[in-house]
Amino acid sequence: INLKNRSYKNIEDIHVTDKVPQIAEIKKEFAVGTLQPSSIIKHERKGTFVKFRLDGLESYEERVLSYIITSKISILGQFQLPIARATFKANGRIRNTTSNRYIFKN
């Protein structure tokens, strides 16, 4: 997930939530120097929720949030990841934004 503050003002109190479908699982190993998720919540029917929390981003700053997922079964064709959601505070107001869908074709 690429986060980018496109404004000239700082944003703060950033919460990013990503959903991993049930047919995939998250590897618990994270690379050195990467921001680890603040929580990983498994839900029986809805999949796994990965949550990140950042204190803030300065103007035009970028961050990359990464983790590795593996499929529980072999997948033929394409695989689609749901959108990620981010909530942050800018100019004293709480804002929401979403990512694009990612379609993996093999």
Side-chain angles (χ1 to χ4, degrees):
I1 301 172
N2 294 324
L3 297 177
K4 182 177 181 180
N5 181 0
R6 297 182 296 166
S7 71
Y8 63 92
K9 295 185 179 183
N10 296 346
I11 60 175
E12 50 193 37
D13 200 23
I14 305 163
H15 297 272
V16 179
T17 304
D18 197 13
K19 181 181 170 191
V20 178
Q22 284 184 322
I23 63 170
E25 60 187 4
I26 298 175
K27 287 197 170 191
K28 301 292 184 191
E29 302 92 32
F30 298 100
V32 175
T34 60
L35 180 67
Q36 294 187 5
S38 56
S39 66
I40 299 174
I41 303 166
K42 291 187 179 186
H43 192 273
E44 289 180 18
R45 287 171 274 148
K46 295 182 180 181
T48 304
F49 294 95
V50 183
K51 296 185 179 190
F52 293 91
R53 186 184 181 296
L54 290 92
D55 292 331
L57 287 176
E58 294 182 9
S59 61
Y60 303 105
E61 182 181 0
E62 291 185 53
R63 290 273 178 94
V64 177
L65 308 176
S66 65
Y67 57 92
I68 298 173
I69 62 171
T70 56
S71 174
K72 294 178 184 176
I73 58 173
S74 62
I75 299 172
L76 298 175
Q78 64 184 16
F79 177 71
Q80 182 173 335
L81 291 176
I83 60 175
R85 299 184 186 278
T87 303
F88 58 95
K89 190 183 291 186
N91 299 329
R93 294 177 25 187
I94 296 177
R95 304 282 199 139
N96 296 308
T97 188
T98 58
S99 71
N100 296 328
R101 292 187 190 276
Y102 180 76
I103 299 174
F104 175 75
K105 298 177 184 175
N106 50 340

PDB file of all heavy atoms in Angstrom, residues 14-34:
ATOM      1  N   ILE A  14      -3.316   8.733  11.292  1.00  0.00           N
ATOM      2  CA  ILE A  14      -3.679   7.957  10.109  1.00  0.00           C
ATOM      3  C   ILE A  14      -3.945   6.513  10.506  1.00  0.00           C
ATOM      4  O   ILE A  14      -3.121   5.875  11.163  1.00  0.00           O
ATOM      5  CB  ILE A  14      -2.554   8.016   9.064  1.00  0.00           C
ATOM      6  CG1 ILE A  14      -2.230   9.476   8.740  1.00  0.00           C
ATOM      7  CG2 ILE A  14      -2.932   7.250   7.812  1.00  0.00           C
ATOM      8  CD1 ILE A  14      -0.918   9.670   8.052  1.00  0.00           C
ATOM      9  N   HIS A  15      -5.095   6.001  10.084  1.00  0.00           N
ATOM     10  CA  HIS A  15      -5.470   4.603  10.316  1.00  0.00           C
ATOM     11  C   HIS A  15      -5.759   3.973   8.962  1.00  0.00           C
ATOM     12  O   HIS A  15      -6.623   4.443   8.223  1.00  0.00           O
ATOM     13  CB  HIS A  15      -6.719   4.509  11.190  1.00  0.00           C
ATOM     14  CG  HIS A  15      -6.534   5.071  12.556  1.00  0.00           C
ATOM     15  ND1 HIS A  15      -6.056   4.318  13.596  1.00  0.00           N
ATOM     16  CD2 HIS A  15      -6.740   6.309  13.054  1.00  0.00           C
ATOM     17  CE1 HIS A  15      -5.983   5.065  14.677  1.00  0.00           C
ATOM     18  NE2 HIS A  15      -6.395   6.288  14.368  1.00  0.00           N
ATOM     19  N   VAL A  16      -5.029   2.913   8.625  1.00  0.00           N
ATOM     20  CA  VAL A  16      -5.214   2.217   7.358  1.00  0.00           C
ATOM     21  C   VAL A  16      -5.711   0.812   7.655  1.00  0.00           C
ATOM     22  O   VAL A  16      -5.138   0.109   8.491  1.00  0.00           O
ATOM     23  CB  VAL A  16      -3.893   2.151   6.554  1.00  0.00           C
ATOM     24  CG1 VAL A  16      -4.090   1.397   5.258  1.00  0.00           C
ATOM     25  CG2 VAL A  16      -3.359   3.548   6.297  1.00  0.00           C
ATOM     26  N   THR A  17      -6.790   0.406   6.982  1.00  0.00           N
ATOM     27  CA  THR A  17      -7.349  -0.928   7.149  1.00  0.00           C
ATOM     28  C   THR A  17      -7.401  -1.611   5.795  1.00  0.00           C
ATOM     29  O   THR A  17      -7.955  -1.076   4.840  1.00  0.00           O
ATOM     30  CB  THR A  17      -8.774  -0.861   7.736  1.00  0.00           C
ATOM     31  OG1 THR A  17      -8.735  -0.150   8.964  1.00  0.00           O
ATOM     32  CG2 THR A  17      -9.327  -2.257   7.985  1.00  0.00           C
ATOM     33  N   ASP A  18      -6.811  -2.797   5.724  1.00  0.00           N
ATOM     34  CA  ASP A  18      -6.817  -3.581   4.497  1.00  0.00           C
ATOM     35  C   ASP A  18      -7.454  -4.929   4.808  1.00  0.00           C
ATOM     36  O   ASP A  18      -7.285  -5.466   5.904  1.00  0.00           O
ATOM     37  CB  ASP A  18      -5.395  -3.774   3.982  1.00  0.00           C
ATOM     38  CG  ASP A  18      -5.353  -4.204   2.534  1.00  0.00           C
ATOM     39  OD1 ASP A  18      -6.393  -4.119   1.853  1.00  0.00           O
ATOM     40  OD2 ASP A  18      -4.266  -4.599   2.071  1.00  0.00           O
ATOM     41  N   LYS A  19      -8.181  -5.456   3.848  1.00  0.00           N
ATOM     42  CA  LYS A  19      -8.862  -6.735   4.045  1.00  0.00           C
ATOM     43  C   LYS A  19      -8.224  -7.782   3.144  1.00  0.00           C
ATOM     44  O   LYS A  19      -8.000  -7.539   1.960  1.00  0.00           O
ATOM     45  CB  LYS A  19     -10.339  -6.585   3.704  1.00  0.00           C
ATOM     46  CG  LYS A  19     -11.132  -7.843   3.893  1.00  0.00           C
ATOM     47  CD  LYS A  19     -12.577  -7.620   3.521  1.00  0.00           C
ATOM     48  CE  LYS A  19     -13.297  -8.942   3.492  1.00  0.00           C
ATOM     49  NZ  LYS A  19     -14.616  -8.838   2.900  1.00  0.00           N
ATOM     50  N   VAL A  20      -7.912  -8.934   3.724  1.00  0.00           N
ATOM     51  CA  VAL A  20      -7.357 -10.061   2.982  1.00  0.00           C
ATOM     52  C   VAL A  20      -8.447 -11.122   2.905  1.00  0.00           C
ATOM     53  O   VAL A  20      -8.998 -11.519   3.934  1.00  0.00           O
ATOM     54  CB  VAL A  20      -6.098 -10.619   3.684  1.00  0.00           C
ATOM     55  CG1 VAL A  20      -5.557 -11.816   2.952  1.00  0.00           C
ATOM     56  CG2 VAL A  20      -5.046  -9.540   3.827  1.00  0.00           C
ATOM     57  N   PRO A  21      -8.797 -11.600   1.706  1.00  0.00           N
ATOM     58  CA  PRO A  21      -9.859 -12.599   1.571  1.00  0.00           C
ATOM     59  C   PRO A  21      -9.538 -13.897   2.306  1.00  0.00           C
ATOM     60  O   PRO A  21      -8.380 -14.159   2.645  1.00  0.00           O
ATOM     61  CB  PRO A  21      -9.940 -12.857   0.062  1.00  0.00           C
ATOM     62  CG  PRO A  21      -9.241 -11.718  -0.569  1.00  0.00           C
ATOM     63  CD  PRO A  21      -8.258 -11.201   0.424  1.00  0.00           C
ATOM     64  N   GLN A  22     -10.565 -14.706   2.508  1.00  0.00           N
ATOM     65  CA  GLN A  22     -10.399 -15.957   3.255  1.00  0.00           C
ATOM     66  C   GLN A  22      -9.489 -16.953   2.559  1.00  0.00           C
ATOM     67  O   GLN A  22      -8.900 -17.800   3.223  1.00  0.00           O
ATOM     68  CB  GLN A  22     -11.759 -16.619   3.479  1.00  0.00           C
ATOM     69  CG  GLN A  22     -12.579 -15.961   4.545  1.00  0.00           C
ATOM     70  CD  GLN A  22     -13.861 -16.724   4.786  1.00  0.00           C
ATOM     71  OE1 GLN A  22     -14.464 -17.224   3.854  1.00  0.00           O
ATOM     72  NE2 GLN A  22     -14.264 -16.812   6.029  1.00  0.00           N
ATOM     73  N   ILE A  23      -9.362 -16.883   1.241  1.00  0.00           N
ATOM     74  CA  ILE A  23      -8.541 -17.875   0.546  1.00  0.00           C
ATOM     75  C   ILE A  23      -7.044 -17.576   0.652  1.00  0.00           C
ATOM     76  O   ILE A  23      -6.230 -18.336   0.158  1.00  0.00           O
ATOM     77  CB  ILE A  23      -8.939 -18.014  -0.938  1.00  0.00           C
ATOM     78  CG1 ILE A  23      -8.695 -16.710  -1.686  1.00  0.00           C
ATOM     79  CG2 ILE A  23     -10.359 -18.471  -1.076  1.00  0.00           C
ATOM     80  CD1 ILE A  23      -8.838 -16.863  -3.182  1.00  0.00           C
ATOM     81  N   ALA A  24      -6.698 -16.491   1.317  1.00  0.00           N
ATOM     82  CA  ALA A  24      -5.291 -16.134   1.512  1.00  0.00           C
ATOM     83  C   ALA A  24      -5.017 -15.953   3.001  1.00  0.00           C
ATOM     84  O   ALA A  24      -5.919 -15.725   3.789  1.00  0.00           O
ATOM     85  CB  ALA A  24      -4.961 -14.856   0.750  1.00  0.00           C
ATOM     86  N   GLU A  25      -3.736 -16.078   3.351  1.00  0.00           N
ATOM     87  CA  GLU A  25      -3.339 -15.851   4.734  1.00  0.00           C
ATOM     88  C   GLU A  25      -2.082 -14.983   4.772  1.00  0.00           C
ATOM     89  O   GLU A  25      -1.313 -14.944   3.818  1.00  0.00           O
ATOM     90  CB  GLU A  25      -3.114 -17.165   5.468  1.00  0.00           C
ATOM     91  CG  GLU A  25      -2.040 -18.048   4.889  1.00  0.00           C
ATOM     92  CD  GLU A  25      -1.976 -19.411   5.556  1.00  0.00           C
ATOM     93  OE1 GLU A  25      -2.813 -19.701   6.421  1.00  0.00           O
ATOM     94  OE2 GLU A  25      -1.080 -20.173   5.216  1.00  0.00           O
ATOM     95  N   ILE A  26      -1.889 -14.303   5.879  1.00  0.00           N
ATOM     96  CA  ILE A  26      -0.774 -13.371   6.031  1.00  0.00           C
ATOM     97  C   ILE A  26       0.402 -14.086   6.665  1.00  0.00           C
ATOM     98  O   ILE A  26       0.245 -14.803   7.650  1.00  0.00           O
ATOM     99  CB  ILE A  26      -1.195 -12.177   6.903  1.00  0.00           C
ATOM    100  CG1 ILE A  26      -2.314 -11.435   6.226  1.00  0.00           C
ATOM    101  CG2 ILE A  26      -0.019 -11.266   7.183  1.00  0.00           C
ATOM    102  CD1 ILE A  26      -2.875 -10.321   7.059  1.00  0.00           C
ATOM    103  N   LYS A  27       1.587 -13.860   6.103  1.00  0.00           N
ATOM    104  CA  LYS A  27       2.800 -14.375   6.734  1.00  0.00           C
ATOM    105  C   LYS A  27       3.175 -13.445   7.874  1.00  0.00           C
ATOM    106  O   LYS A  27       3.073 -12.233   7.756  1.00  0.00           O
ATOM    107  CB  LYS A  27       3.940 -14.444   5.722  1.00  0.00           C
ATOM    108  CG  LYS A  27       3.787 -15.558   4.735  1.00  0.00           C
ATOM    109  CD  LYS A  27       5.098 -15.804   4.066  1.00  0.00           C
ATOM    110  CE  LYS A  27       5.005 -17.083   3.260  1.00  0.00           C
ATOM    111  NZ  LYS A  27       6.302 -17.513   2.803  1.00  0.00           N
ATOM    112  N   LYS A  28       3.592 -14.005   8.971  1.00  0.00           N
ATOM    113  CA  LYS A  28       3.882 -13.219  10.181  1.00  0.00           C
ATOM    114  C   LYS A  28       5.281 -12.610  10.169  1.00  0.00           C
ATOM    115  O   LYS A  28       5.610 -11.823  11.031  1.00  0.00           O
ATOM    116  CB  LYS A  28       3.735 -14.090  11.429  1.00  0.00           C
ATOM    117  CG  LYS A  28       2.355 -14.682  11.586  1.00  0.00           C
ATOM    118  CD  LYS A  28       1.332 -13.636  11.871  1.00  0.00           C
ATOM    119  CE  LYS A  28      -0.012 -14.323  12.112  1.00  0.00           C
ATOM    120  NZ  LYS A  28      -1.112 -13.439  12.156  1.00  0.00           N
ATOM    121  N   GLU A  29       6.114 -12.943   9.184  1.00  0.00           N
ATOM    122  CA  GLU A  29       7.453 -12.375   9.117  1.00  0.00           C
ATOM    123  C   GLU A  29       7.388 -11.046   8.371  1.00  0.00           C
ATOM    124  O   GLU A  29       6.783 -10.948   7.316  1.00  0.00           O
ATOM    125  CB  GLU A  29       8.422 -13.300   8.370  1.00  0.00           C
ATOM    126  CG  GLU A  29       8.553 -14.684   8.962  1.00  0.00           C
ATOM    127  CD  GLU A  29       7.577 -15.673   8.352  1.00  0.00           C
ATOM    128  OE1 GLU A  29       7.240 -15.544   7.177  1.00  0.00           O
ATOM    129  OE2 GLU A  29       7.136 -16.566   9.077  1.00  0.00           O
ATOM    130  N   PHE A  30       8.042 -10.033   8.926  1.00  0.00           N
ATOM    131  CA  PHE A  30       8.089  -8.718   8.297  1.00  0.00           C
ATOM    132  C   PHE A  30       9.539  -8.324   8.113  1.00  0.00           C
ATOM    133  O   PHE A  30      10.380  -8.605   8.954  1.00  0.00           O
ATOM    134  CB  PHE A  30       7.365  -7.680   9.156  1.00  0.00           C
ATOM    135  CG  PHE A  30       5.910  -7.985   9.326  1.00  0.00           C
ATOM    136  CD1 PHE A  30       5.445  -8.594  10.486  1.00  0.00           C
ATOM    137  CD2 PHE A  30       4.996  -7.698   8.328  1.00  0.00           C
ATOM    138  CE1 PHE A  30       4.106  -8.881  10.650  1.00  0.00           C
ATOM    139  CE2 PHE A  30       3.659  -7.990   8.478  1.00  0.00           C
ATOM    140  CZ  PHE A  30       3.207  -8.578   9.637  1.00  0.00           C
ATOM    141  N   ALA A  31       9.846  -7.670   7.008  1.00  0.00           N
ATOM    142  CA  ALA A  31      11.215  -7.254   6.703  1.00  0.00           C
ATOM    143  C   ALA A  31      11.676  -6.204   7.715  1.00  0.00           C
ATOM    144  O   ALA A  31      10.877  -5.423   8.234  1.00  0.00           O
ATOM    145  CB  ALA A  31      11.283  -6.690   5.295  1.00  0.00           C
ATOM    146  N   VAL A  32      12.971  -6.196   7.961  1.00  0.00           N
ATOM    147  CA  VAL A  32      13.550  -5.223   8.879  1.00  0.00           C
ATOM    148  C   VAL A  32      13.394  -3.831   8.263  1.00  0.00           C
ATOM    149  O   VAL A  32      13.642  -3.631   7.087  1.00  0.00           O
ATOM    150  CB  VAL A  32      15.039  -5.537   9.132  1.00  0.00           C
ATOM    151  CG1 VAL A  32      15.690  -4.469   9.983  1.00  0.00           C
ATOM    152  CG2 VAL A  32      15.178  -6.900   9.767  1.00  0.00           C
ATOM    153  N   GLY A  33      12.947  -2.881   9.053  1.00  0.00           N
ATOM    154  CA  GLY A  33      12.794  -1.514   8.584  1.00  0.00           C
ATOM    155  C   GLY A  33      11.411  -1.181   8.057  1.00  0.00           C
ATOM    156  O   GLY A  33      11.151  -0.043   7.720  1.00  0.00           O
ATOM    157  N   THR A  34      10.529  -2.164   7.963  1.00  0.00           N
ATOM    158  CA  THR A  34       9.171  -1.886   7.498  1.00  0.00           C
ATOM    159  C   THR A  34       8.253  -1.675   8.695  1.00  0.00           C
ATOM    160  O   THR A  34       8.485  -2.211   9.777  1.00  0.00           O
ATOM    161  CB  THR A  34       8.603  -3.030   6.640  1.00  0.00           C
ATOM    162  OG1 THR A  34       8.570  -4.224   7.414  1.00  0.00           O
ATOM    163  CG2 THR A  34       9.432  -3.264   5.402  1.00  0.00           C
TER     164      THR A  34
END
